[in-house]
Amino acid sequence: MPAISSAIPFYAVVFDLDGTLIDSARDMTRVLNRTLSRFARPALTEEQVRGMVGDGSANLVRQAFAATGEALSEEALKPALADYLETYFQDDEPPALYPGVPETLKALADGGVRLGLCTNKPERITRKLLDRLGLSPLFGALAGGDTLPVKKPDGRHLSWVVEALGGGSAAMVGDNGNDVKAARAAGLPVVAMTYGYPRMPVQDLGADILLDCFTDLPDALRRLA
């Protein structure tokens, strides 16, 4: 893919991670089932976990235990969450990038677009995943689900990333309702990828543009203008 020039009408583009850049449901299912096993709970299927992704690790663990028949109190959640986070951080399986992601991100960055990441996944795990994928140098700012006192769908989570990139015109790229709500709250246009974890019909997300292929993103950003 050739470098993208100033034809992109945004100073910055901020991305979600899970379901947008990486297909992480397989990884989260594997790690989550290790935690469930250590707490004597039955395993979940990947399809079940896909419907739980997007609200951060604490909510994921809480939903996973509930799906196995155990409702966790806030106190009981703490050791289960700690086990999940440590297991995830130590996991050595490489995450799967969606087709066209590295080439498109590099082309945007080479064209002068500032790239940011706004995810509800914990920052420490997010940074490790980006390092392993070789994507870290492309992002000028990153906010995980525990970076700030707020997280998506709160628009301040997204706005913080935009400001960290230097402000200016920006757009959001995600895959579920939290991404769209955060973009609306921050006053940004939003592109939604149709292949992620939307938890509702993608047509109902309320995004400005729906995309099936990540390589179509540069043209979509031009249309947003």
Side-chain angles (χ1 to χ4, degrees):
M1 180 180 292
I4 296 173
S5 71
S6 58
I8 297 297
F10 296 101
Y11 172 81
V13 179
V14 181
F15 297 87
D16 172 52
L17 182 62
D18 297 302
T20 301
L21 303 183
I22 63 173
D23 187 0
S24 53
R26 179 196 63 181
D27 308 309
M28 285 188 281
T29 302
R30 182 180 60 253
V31 175
L32 194 56
N33 281 337
R34 291 177 192 167
T35 292
L36 288 169
S37 176
R38 283 195 277 269
F39 285 79
R41 306 308 305 167
L44 299 178
T45 67
E46 183 177 320
E47 190 61 31
Q48 285 176 293
V49 174
R50 281 180 177 271
M52 302 174 184
V53 177
D55 295 323
S57 295
N59 283 319
L60 175 64
V61 171
R62 186 182 289 109
Q63 289 181 77
F65 274 75
T68 70
E70 182 176 351
L72 293 178
S73 66
E74 287 302 311
E75 195 60 32
L77 174 64
K78 292 177 183 178
L81 177 59
D83 184 276
Y84 171 75
L85 293 176
E86 190 57 33
T87 302
Y88 203 158
F89 187 75
Q90 298 299 331
D91 188 53
D92 289 328
E93 290 285 336
L97 283 165
Y98 287 109
V101 166
E103 309 96 296
T104 304
L105 291 178
K106 187 175 185 305
L108 288 169
D110 287 347
V113 180
R114 301 294 305 277
L115 306 184
L117 197 72
C118 184
T119 174
N120 284 345
K121 187 183 286 301
E123 182 177 341
R124 183 174 74 135
I125 294 173
T126 299
R127 291 191 181 278
K128 181 180 178 179
L129 293 177
L130 292 180
D131 286 345
R132 294 182 64 191
L133 293 167
L135 298 180
S136 293
L138 297 176
F139 291 96
L142 183 158
D146 54 358
T147 303
L148 305 173
V150 297
K151 62 184 178 182
K152 295 180 297 183
D154 194 307
R156 291 172 292 178
H157 194 194
L158 177 55
S159 295
W160 184 92
V161 179
V162 174
E163 290 303 314
L165 290 171
S169 61
M172 175 69 188
V173 182
D175 72 296
N176 69 29
N178 284 341
D179 301 315
V180 175
K181 290 176 183 176
R184 296 298 179 227
L188 303 185
V190 57
V191 175
M193 308 308 302
T194 62
Y195 50 65
Y197 317 131
R199 297 186 295 189
M200 66 174 71
V202 292
Q203 295 81 4
D204 296 339
L205 288 174
D208 296 296
I209 294 177
L210 296 175
L211 286 185
D212 298 325
C213 301
F214 198 83
T215 52
D216 293 335
L217 181 59
D219 285 339
L221 293 172
R222 294 185 187 99
R223 282 189 282 138
L224 272 182

